[in-house]
Amino acid sequence: MFVISLGLLVIIVLAALVTVYVAFPHRGADIPHAEWLSDAMVRSERKVNDKLVELDDRVTQKLHERTRD
């Protein structure tokens, strides 16, 4: 029972974070009374975007190498 309750709590916290992210930092606004959370979300978004661009470049490069052969 404890594991199920803990799992549900984790799901609710993640859903709340996604909702808060979509409502504020994604639109360019700060979260009221929690600017530190806005900053953390913006930094993590930048890191994820950088990694995705890097991955896309690597995949594109490998595809070009395969098509040349």
Side-chain angles (χ1 to χ4, degrees):
M1 186 68 180
F2 176 73
V3 174
I4 293 172
S5 299
L6 185 63
L8 289 174
L9 180 65
V10 168
I11 290 170
I12 290 171
V13 168
L14 286 174
L17 284 173
V18 168
T19 303
V20 168
Y21 172 74
V22 169
F24 293 102
H26 183 66
R27 294 182 179 178
D30 285 338
I31 299 171
H33 310 291
E35 288 79 20
W36 59 271
L37 187 56
S38 293
D39 294 339
M41 287 183 167
V42 168
R43 281 194 312 268
S44 65
E45 178 189 16
R46 286 183 189 144
K47 286 181 183 178
V48 168
N49 283 339
D50 291 344
K51 293 292 182 182
L52 287 175
V53 167
E54 180 183 320
L55 178 65
D56 186 41
D57 291 343
R58 279 190 276 151
V59 168
T60 304
Q61 181 183 9
K62 287 191 182 223
L63 284 173
H64 285 296
E65 288 174 0
R66 288 185 180 178
T67 56
R68 279 190 255 158
D69 292 338

